[in-house]
Amino acid sequence: MHYAELIQFVAFLGAILLLAKPFGLYMARIYEGESTALTPLLAPLEKGIYLFCRIDGAEMDWTRYAMALFILNGVMGASLFLLLLLQGGLPLNPNRVAGASWGMALNTAISFVTNTNWQSYAGETGVSYLTQMAGLAVHNFLSAASGMVVAIVLIRGLVRKNAHRLGNFWVDMTRTVLYILLPLSLVVALFLVSQGVLQNFGANKAVALLQPQTTSAGVIREQVIPMGPVASQEAIKELGTNGGGFFNANSAHPFENPTPLSNFVECLLILLIPASLTFTFGRLVRNPGQGRTLFYSMLFLLVVAAGVMYRAEIAGNPLVTKMGVVGPYLEGKEVRFGVGGSVLFGSLATATSCGAVNAMHDSLTPLGGLVPLVMMLLGEVVFGGVGVGLYTMLSFVVIAVFVAGLMIGRTPEYLGKKIEVREMWLAVGTVLTAGVLVLILVGAAVLLPSGLAGRANPGAHGLSEILYGFASAANNNGSAFAGLDATSLFYRLLTAAAILAGRYVPLLASLAMAGSLAAKKYSPPGLGTLPTDKVTFTLWLVVVIVIVGALTFFPALALGPVIEQLKMIS
Amino acid sequence: MSKHVPPPLSIFSPVLLRSASMGALRKLDPRLLWRHPVMFLVEIGGFITSVNFLFALGGKHGDPAWFSGLVSLWLWLTVFFGNFAESLAEGRGKARAASMRKTRTEVQARRLSAPTADARTEVVLAEQLCKDDHILVEASELIAGDGEVVSGAALVNEAAVTGESAPVVRESGGDRSAVTGGTTVVSGTIVVRITANPGETFMDRMITMVEGAKRRKTPNEIALEVLLLALTVVFLLVVANLSPLSIYSAKVSGQGAPVSLTVLVALFVCLAPTTIAALLPAIGIAGMDRLFQKNVIALSGRAIEAAGDVSVLLLDKTGTITLGNREAVAFVPVGGHSEAELVEAALLASLADETPEGRSIVVLAKERFHRRLHSLPPGAEVVPFSAETRLSGSDIGDMRYRKGESDSIIAFVGRAGGTPPAGLDREVLSIAKNGGTPLVVCCNADILGVINLKDILKGGIQERFQQLRSMGIRTVMITGDNPHTAAAIAAEARVDDFLAQAKPEDKLRLIRENQQAGYMVAMTGDGTNDAPALAQADVAVAMNTGTQPAREAANIIDLDSNPTKLLDIVETGKQILMTRGNLTTFSISNDVAKYFAIIPAALISIYPQLDALNIMRLASPQSAILAAVIFNAVVIPLLIPLALKGTRYRPMSAEKMLVRSLLLYGLGGVVVPFVGIKVIDMLCAVFI
């Protein structure tokens, strides 16, 4: 390992350990309705919003909360769909981008409203600046906030006793955006501009090449440099674990992610909210140990994953090495990030459901590519998407608590709430939905000609590409292996279906679980209660996550990346 | 104590094994099996592979016939073993229920037209008796149904229910009025008001419970089934997904064949949590059965599991913590009277008193002071205890000897013109503070002294409470005594808390408060005044000697009437849950090894490099798959003893217990099948 890369990893770990707790506690204050340093500045605005929108702040039960969320998501999705269709004739379109096809508009609207940000288009040519700003960037905020408030409602469900009301959706959304997402995005956008990220409304520039290139199609004398309001979207893309790039090349593009420093900060942003939310959780349940259990089980899986991926990429491809190529394996990676910066970004963006990329994952070694795939297939619980990771993880906790509780001879309970039939249905629904979708859709895609047509590579790697594509969609990650051509109607519709089910089934189940838990009474812990804040349980939780994932995907992985790796080394 | 319960049949007894095998075969009927979805799917798998086998015999291409044949054989055996486990667990209960039924011969009853012994009677069959009928029962007759004695008293032999051969007194009024159908009156005549309709009597319920016929799944069991079912569905999809993936892979690699249906089914059955699914019904039934061996009848499975969560136990003091009766242990004279004077007066006041307390005073006088009087002098008049005066004693000429509570005696003496001597209060208080009950003795206007009646703790009770404490259960003693006495007894018995001068509504309130604070509350009681509290408690244990209302309010009946039985009940409840959890973990952990056996075997023809995953170095693809299937089937009967006996429970910290279980059943569950499959593969390889 190169020292510089080791330092980068250690610095990153140090930074997240340093930031997660204070930021988590800050978020807890926001959701408790307490005042913070930003209150004097933003409270008038907040009040103004409530007044203007006639939000009375009355608390809702889980069904009304879900209704409000669905209404907002539905309206937002529909408006984005229309915006994409009509963008050709709307202002702020200096590059004269045409209106999108209905398939692309549908896929994109669903993808952005669900925080997936799977892109079946190239940003430079597919969307206007107006769509980027008023459509995609706005969704980056609202889809992130939608995930976070559901996590908060689930926490309230655990905390409240004999209750039905779980908070006001509109207030929670407003406070999330106003106090958490907006201020940070603003600061980070300015920082990114300082590093060289673009922020303008200019039309793309054609510049003469210093050295004309001769290709089979003729001599190329000029190059088009893309422009646009990038920085404002880049910050929330990372912070909200959205991942939809302004440009097709996403964070590998020098105008999105110009320097190793911007890369480091973007990595930090990806993990900041998902990691901090575990501390918010610990605070809100008045038991910091419970939050730490979640944080360290997630961190453990992340460190192992990043370690495996780094080793695989440093070891490189023996077939290439045999040809006399020495040095780190840089195929598909940006030289300015190197193996370390690419592995860090790649593992983080798939561990969380960000899905941004700064390297071509299709070009990773089979084992190196297996890691991002597995991170998604585990159900996006290794920190996962903002809020989503936490509420999915809590369903894993419910399952882990259930089995562990039985093993110590108690009818299982978590944080004093009994886990019964209803909670079990909702937990397995949350945890297994994405896996079920992947298994069904991949099975269909490898049999159908239109499914096979999307592959960029034949053989086992083609299977990996299809698997990666549906894993990314069903788990709302949005990361692209880059090999798969997802622009066909087949993939646009199937991924859209996977995205929708993968988002809203667990989300609805989690809200229902919040309602069910809140209505329960609380049993104080005693001698015989399962301690869920100790090392044993933390490890058990890790084992449950890994076992569920491994048992679901062992055969598929064996026929994809595993056989690729075995063939490569044999 | 003699028990009517025959010693439990060994699970290896040939009788049970034979009937369990027959039962297991009957349960292969899909119409019965669909209630256990996992095993039902295994059966469908067995059906599919059997059809495959027939096709293979017919010369169709695909897997060799012997392979399909053996796989289907073992799949059918898997279902059979699961059914067998359940039948075996039920078998013991059924055998017992049959023997109980035998004791219940067809009984006739004399129905009364009015609730008095001299009313007109008609002879009817027991099953014609309805609620609120009155029957007359005389010596050496069977009581035809559950009821309450409304007049008369009798000695009743209740061996049919309790196994206790010594007859007990049943009389109208008070806490001893309940009689159980099927028991025999030894002497005396009673009029009984029937309290249960035919088919709903205690004996009926007992037989049903023992038989396991009406056993309802507990919520916890259903939740576990949900988890298992969800996993099964996922595995079904995994297998369904493997088929297209293998078709794709065979095509792109240009060699090998897609995974055959037989192998897909084999993989599915191995992955599905068959071990726990097969043993799950047996675990619950066996738990009830183990309790029954301890002479406890659980009227709901839920109550047993709730017992594992109990954090507060309320116990009635009398008959629970202390022996039912108080004993006189000292005579304390006051007001300058001598001890001899006091003993004399106490003896005269108690000779006619047949209560255990009264007798113990006579016994103490005899043993310690050698004062013997066999009967009251002639002309003496006995004054029995009455609720108004709260005194008892005798009048001999002008001398009126009385004993009773301090307040009552002072009032009595006051009416005769006397005043309580100095020092009386001090002595009374001192006795009460030390856990005794002070009984003041007087003669006319003169108070002579105090008798110290003491509660006698049951032997070994402190250790039992210590055990409960180490399980995380807080014990609260409930008593009608004054706070001083209660505190002293509570300290001596080492209970955690006490409720003194408790009225029924106080008990109810205490339970509600604890429940509102989120605690699971258990209550043991026997009296009618305990019934409301029993109905409110999560786990309500009624003594079999208790009254009918108490038994009806309870969800667990202790035939031995031993209040610390709760320890056994808690232990059994925990065992049931632990066995479920441990076998679930074991079952799922097994899948790791099965994957490593089956996946390389199934896909090696497509990608020879997958041999690297054959870490057990199994001999051939067919032997590997067979070994996994056989292991999966054989492990069920091997674990039946564990499922029936339950995991051992020892009180220890939850954390420690979790580590232990995880190592044993989690890690063990990963390692054991690697060894087992390897061994079976080596045996298979000999033949293949």
Side-chain angles (χ1 to χ4, degrees):
Chain A
M1 191 185 272
H2 298 267
Y3 282 115
E5 297 189 330
L6 181 66
I7 290 169
Q8 184 180 356
F9 288 147
V10 172
F12 181 81
L13 208 59
I16 205 68
L17 286 171
L18 209 65
L19 288 175
K21 188 174 173 183
F23 192 66
L25 298 186
Y26 170 78
M27 286 195 285
R29 293 186 72 86
I30 298 302
Y31 290 115
E32 296 266 54
E34 293 167 19
S35 65
T36 62
L38 288 178
T39 307
L41 202 64
L42 296 173
L45 187 56
E46 187 191 352
K47 285 206 186 78
I49 292 172
Y50 295 156
L51 213 61
F52 182 74
C53 299
R54 300 210 193 156
I55 296 170
D56 61 0
E59 296 222 324
M60 308 165 166
D61 63 10
W62 80 266
T63 47
R64 290 209 51 195
Y65 204 98
M67 196 97 77
L69 189 145
F70 276 98
I71 288 172
L72 180 73
N73 279 213
V75 170
M76 298 303 298
S79 65
L80 179 57
F81 179 71
L82 290 178
L83 192 58
L84 280 160
L85 284 182
L86 305 174
Q87 63 184 1
L90 294 173
L92 272 182
N93 188 7
N95 296 326
R96 314 218 166 280
V97 175
S101 71
W102 72 268
M104 180 270 201
L106 183 71
N107 184 288
T108 307
I110 287 175
S111 156
F112 273 76
V113 89
T114 56
N115 198 255
T116 308
N117 315 76
W118 166 271
Q119 292 169 292
S120 69
Y121 62 87
E124 295 92 325
T125 54
V127 282
S128 71
Y129 293 165
L130 182 72
T131 309
Q132 292 274 22
M133 293 182 72
L136 307 185
V138 169
H139 278 76
N140 281 356
F141 280 97
L142 292 179
S143 67
S146 297
M148 289 166 75
V149 297
V150 172
I152 295 302
V153 165
L154 183 53
I155 297 173
R156 288 187 187 137
L158 280 164
V159 174
R160 296 185 181 182
K161 314 159 194 169
N162 311 318
H164 292 283
R165 312 230 171 264
L166 291 161
N168 182 292
F169 173 73
W170 309 108
V171 170
D172 288 342
M173 285 294 281
T174 309
R175 287 181 72 83
T176 305
V177 174
L178 204 58
Y179 287 93
I180 299 170
L181 299 178
L182 264 180
L184 254 177
S185 301
L186 192 71
V187 174
V188 173
L190 289 176
F191 165 80
L192 288 174
V193 169
S194 82
Q195 295 295 299
V197 178
L198 293 182
Q199 182 73 15
N200 62 39
F201 290 118
N204 293 349
K205 282 201 170 86
V207 294
L209 284 179
L210 297 176
Q211 193 179 5
Q213 299 280 311
T214 311
T215 68
S216 55
V219 183
I220 297 174
R221 295 180 190 283
E222 65 174 26
Q223 174 190 11
V224 176
I225 307 267
M227 292 288 144
V230 183
S232 57
Q233 196 171 330
E234 190 67 19
I236 187 64
K237 172 189 114 183
E238 256 70 68
L239 187 65
T241 61
N242 293 287
F246 194 94
F247 303 119
N248 194 26
N250 211 305
S251 279
H253 199 289
F255 289 168
E256 281 202 26
N257 188 6
T259 64
L261 184 60
S262 70
N263 191 58
F264 187 85
V265 171
E266 287 186 12
C267 286
L268 211 51
L269 276 186
I270 291 174
L271 199 56
L272 182 62
I273 291 182
S276 303
L277 271 176
T278 59
F279 289 93
T280 310
F281 171 75
R283 175 67 171 206
L284 292 180
V285 301
R286 303 275 177 269
N287 189 342
Q290 304 291 350
R292 278 197 298 270
T293 298
L294 302 187
F295 178 77
Y296 284 108
S297 52
M298 290 169 166
L299 191 67
F300 176 82
L301 285 167
L302 177 66
V303 169
V304 170
V308 171
M309 188 171 170
Y310 184 74
R311 249 197 73 82
E313 293 307 304
I314 279 292
N317 185 336
L319 302 175
V320 177
T321 318
K322 238 181 272 171
M323 289 188 265
V325 180
V326 290
Y329 184 68
L330 284 171
E331 155 83 22
K333 299 183 183 69
E334 292 294 306
V335 180
R336 65 184 184 284
F337 306 137
V339 173
S342 304
V343 165
L344 187 61
F345 199 103
S347 56
L348 283 173
T350 48
T352 71
S353 77
C354 180
V357 287
N358 75 350
M360 289 304 110
H361 287 187
D362 203 20
S363 299
L364 295 169
T365 60
L367 195 56
L370 175 84
V371 170
L373 184 55
V374 167
M375 285 292 96
M376 294 190 287
L377 291 176
L378 289 183
E380 288 298 1
V381 288
V382 184
F383 293 107
V386 287
V388 187
L390 183 63
Y391 70 65
T392 314
M393 184 62 152
L394 285 174
S395 276
F396 267 113
V397 170
V398 163
I399 294 172
V401 157
F402 184 81
V403 180
L406 289 184
M407 280 197 282
I408 62 160
R410 294 278 287 205
T411 59
E413 61 198 354
Y414 181 53
L415 302 178
K417 296 294 178 78
K418 286 261 178 265
I419 307 299
E420 290 166 301
V421 182
R422 187 174 161 82
E423 289 70 44
M424 188 48 69
W425 274 117
L426 296 170
V428 296
T430 302
V431 162
L432 298 176
T433 299
V436 166
L437 288 169
V438 172
L439 289 174
I440 293 173
L441 293 173
V442 170
V446 297
L447 287 185
L448 298 171
S450 25
L452 295 173
R455 294 173 302 158
N457 289 279
H461 195 63
L463 178 62
S464 300
E465 287 172 354
I466 295 174
L467 184 60
Y468 195 102
F470 283 112
S472 175
N475 287 289
N476 292 167
N477 182 291
S479 170
F481 215 31
L484 192 70
D485 174 19
T487 57
S488 69
L489 199 57
F490 175 85
Y491 276 105
R492 276 185 171 152
L493 292 183
L494 279 194
T495 52
I499 288 169
L500 269 184
R503 169 77 167 186
Y504 290 110
V505 172
L507 185 145
L508 202 59
S510 297
L511 283 177
M513 174 121 69
S516 165
L517 289 172
K520 285 173 190 281
K521 62 178 188 183
Y522 167 82
S523 330
L527 259 183
T529 314
L530 173 76
T532 48
D533 53 354
K534 298 271 167 57
V535 182
T536 318
F537 183 77
T538 309
L539 289 175
W540 169 239
L541 181 60
V542 168
V543 169
V544 168
I545 293 167
V546 171
I547 288 265
V548 170
L551 294 184
T552 315
F553 295 109
F554 188 95
L557 292 173
L559 289 172
V562 171
I563 189 65
E564 283 184 66
Q565 178 79 13
L566 290 173
K567 282 172 106 172
M568 183 182 83
I569 57 176
S570 68
Chain B
M1 179 195 285
S2 71
K3 304 230 165 75
H4 79 291
V5 183
L9 293 166
S10 154
I11 57 166
F12 299 113
S13 92
V15 184
L16 275 186
L17 290 180
R18 202 173 318 119
S19 73
S21 306
M22 293 311 294
L25 284 177
R26 260 196 306 278
K27 285 180 185 188
L28 285 177
D29 185 341
R31 285 167 302 179
L32 297 175
L33 199 62
W34 72 270
R35 273 172 235 276
H36 305 305
V38 178
M39 298 317 283
F40 182 60
L41 285 170
V42 176
E43 185 170 48
I44 293 178
F47 185 74
I48 293 173
T49 53
S50 302
V51 172
N52 257 15
F53 166 64
L54 294 179
F55 273 115
L57 279 183
K60 289 269 161 52
H61 63 88
D63 294 306
W66 65 266
F67 177 70
S68 300
L70 279 177
V71 168
S72 15
L73 172 69
W74 280 99
L75 294 193
W76 285 110
L77 278 175
T78 309
V79 186
F80 175 81
F81 289 149
N83 292 345
F84 182 75
E86 191 182 6
S87 295
L88 198 56
E90 288 169 349
R92 285 205 283 189
K94 283 210 173 108
R96 242 174 243 140
S99 74
M100 283 164 77
R101 275 215 185 85
K102 248 182 250 164
T103 64
R104 232 173 37 142
T105 43
E106 201 51 69
V107 183
Q108 290 189 330
R110 273 181 287 167
R111 185 158 61 191
L112 291 163
S113 56
T116 47
D118 48 8
R120 201 162 44 78
T121 63
E122 56 169 329
V123 176
V124 294
L125 284 174
E127 60 196 32
Q128 292 172 313
L129 287 176
C130 291
K131 225 168 162 175
D132 294 328
D133 281 348
H134 288 85
I135 57 168
L136 182 70
V137 192
E138 289 180 333
S140 75
E141 282 181 353
L142 273 169
I143 300 173
D146 288 5
E148 201 179 16
V149 180
V150 288
S151 72
L155 267 180
V156 178
N157 181 343
E158 298 198 330
V161 180
T162 61
E164 175 69 75
S165 53
V168 289
V169 176
R170 292 290 177 229
E171 58 195 353
S172 60
D175 283 354
R176 292 170 180 273
S177 63
V179 289
T180 311
T183 55
T184 317
V185 172
V186 178
S187 70
T189 302
I190 46 176
V191 174
V192 176
R193 185 172 61 83
I194 297 294
T195 52
N197 285 322
E200 293 165 14
T201 63
F202 185 68
M203 273 297 239
D204 289 319
R205 282 202 290 168
M206 201 155 110
I207 290 172
T208 325
M209 288 316 294
V210 169
E211 219 172 21
K214 271 205 192 146
R215 201 182 72 93
R216 294 211 351 244
K217 287 174 186 169
T218 63
N220 175 272
E221 201 175 347
I222 299 172
L224 179 56
E225 276 188 343
V226 167
L227 179 63
L228 298 180
L229 189 63
L231 287 173
T232 307
V233 168
V234 167
F235 291 134
L236 203 58
L237 288 171
V238 167
V239 172
N241 170 266
L242 180 61
S243 175
L245 290 197
S246 69
I247 293 170
Y248 170 91
S249 301
K251 201 159 59 185
V252 297
S253 77
Q255 57 183 333
V259 182
S260 72
L261 197 55
T262 303
V263 174
L264 286 176
V265 170
L267 177 61
F268 165 70
V269 171
C270 285
L271 292 179
T274 46
T275 314
I276 174 66
L279 297 174
L280 191 56
I283 294 170
I285 299 170
M288 294 258 214
D289 192 61
R290 284 201 304 280
L291 266 185
F292 190 68
Q293 283 167 34
K294 292 173 182 166
N295 258 6
V296 175
I297 302 278
L299 300 177
S300 92
R302 195 177 187 161
I304 308 179
E305 284 169 25
D309 295 350
V310 162
S311 34
V312 181
L313 167 61
L314 308 185
L315 304 120
D316 202 40
K317 184 201 79 178
T318 313
T320 305
I321 296 170
T322 60
L323 294 171
N325 314 320
R326 285 173 289 200
E327 281 178 23
V329 291
F331 293 106
V332 184
V334 293
H337 293 281
S338 73
E339 196 171 26
E341 278 176 275
L342 172 61
V343 171
E344 183 74 26
L347 203 52
L348 289 171
S350 309
L351 258 177
D353 185 354
E354 282 300 315
T355 64
E357 284 88 355
R359 276 197 298 257
S360 80
I361 294 170
V362 179
V363 169
L364 184 72
K366 182 178 85 180
E367 280 179 357
R368 293 268 280 282
F369 303 98
H370 307 291
R371 270 301 279 129
R372 250 173 240 269
L373 255 178
H374 292 293
S375 57
L376 287 171
E381 196 180 321
V382 175
V383 181
F385 182 85
S386 81
E388 294 83 49
T389 59
R390 309 186 65 77
L391 297 169
S392 66
S394 61
D395 291 345
I396 302 167
D398 299 341
M399 307 298 276
R400 303 201 295 165
Y401 296 98
R402 293 288 184 279
K403 67 181 195 306
E405 270 181 41
S406 175
D407 293 347
S408 319
I409 292 287
I410 289 172
F412 178 82
V413 169
R415 279 197 298 276
T419 48
L424 176 69
D425 276 354
R426 200 184 59 236
E427 293 301 339
V428 164
L429 201 64
S430 135
I431 289 171
K433 266 190 180 161
N434 289 309
T437 306
L439 208 58
V440 181
V441 181
C442 71
C443 177
N444 293 341
D446 209 5
I447 292 181
L448 303 168
V450 191
I451 306 170
N452 186 354
L453 287 176
K454 248 192 121 135
D455 272 308
I456 307 299
L457 290 186
K458 288 191 165 181
I461 199 89
Q462 289 100 334
E463 290 72 33
R464 302 286 267 178
F465 288 141
Q466 181 53 42
Q467 259 175 293
L468 282 168
R469 202 168 297 122
S470 66
M471 286 175 169
I473 299 171
R474 200 162 59 90
T475 44
V476 181
M477 181 183 86
I478 300 181
T479 169
D481 291 343
N482 65 60
H484 294 301
T485 313
I489 296 172
E492 198 183 343
R494 295 196 216 136
V495 291
D496 298 300
D497 204 353
F498 67 89
L499 179 70
Q501 283 166 347
K503 292 185 285 294
E505 58 267 30
D506 295 330
K507 300 181 193 179
L508 200 58
R509 204 190 52 236
L510 184 65
I511 294 179
R512 288 222 177 103
E513 277 168 8
N514 273 295
Q515 284 175 331
Q516 240 133 50
Y519 296 107
M520 277 279 193
V521 182
M523 158 101 195
T524 62
D526 54 0
T528 302
N529 61 357
D530 291 329
L534 283 169
Q536 178 71 28
D538 300 292
V539 178
V541 186
M543 306 296 109
N544 189 50
T545 52
T547 60
Q548 192 66 22
R551 292 200 312 200
E552 260 165 27
N555 44 28
I556 294 176
I557 310 278
D558 176 14
L559 298 180
D560 291 345
S561 303
N562 171 5
T564 51
K565 265 295 172 56
L566 194 83
L567 273 173
D568 295 319
I569 300 168
V570 167
E571 203 172 292
T572 309
K574 283 186 183 291
Q575 277 185 329
I576 292 176
L577 296 180
M578 285 168 71
T579 313
R580 270 187 210 144
N582 291 339
L583 288 180
T584 303
T585 307
F586 183 82
S587 190
I588 305 287
S589 309
N590 276 196
D591 284 359
V592 177
K594 291 172 189 165
Y595 258 137
F596 278 101
I598 295 182
I599 287 296
L603 300 171
I604 201 155
S605 71
I606 302 173
Y607 292 122
Q609 294 92 338
L610 279 176
D611 193 43
L613 295 183
N614 180 11
I615 51 179
M616 283 174 270
R617 311 309 320 154
L618 303 178
S620 72
Q622 275 112 355
S623 74
I625 291 163
L626 260 182
V629 172
I630 294 174
F631 176 85
N632 189 57
V634 166
V635 80
I636 296 172
L638 289 182
L639 287 174
I640 286 179
L642 178 69
L644 296 191
K645 283 183 192 143
T647 317
R648 202 146 58 96
Y649 168 76
R650 275 179 302 180
M652 59 170 98
S653 83
E655 173 90 352
K656 231 165 109 186
M657 202 173 336
L658 181 60
V659 172
R660 205 171 148 269
S661 297
L662 283 178
L663 288 179
L664 214 58
Y665 296 94
L667 201 61
V670 173
V671 174
V672 166
F674 274 105
V675 179
I677 291 174
K678 177 71 185 167
V679 170
I680 297 171
D681 175 75
M682 283 157 69
L683 292 174
C684 287
V686 176
F687 298 102
I688 294 170

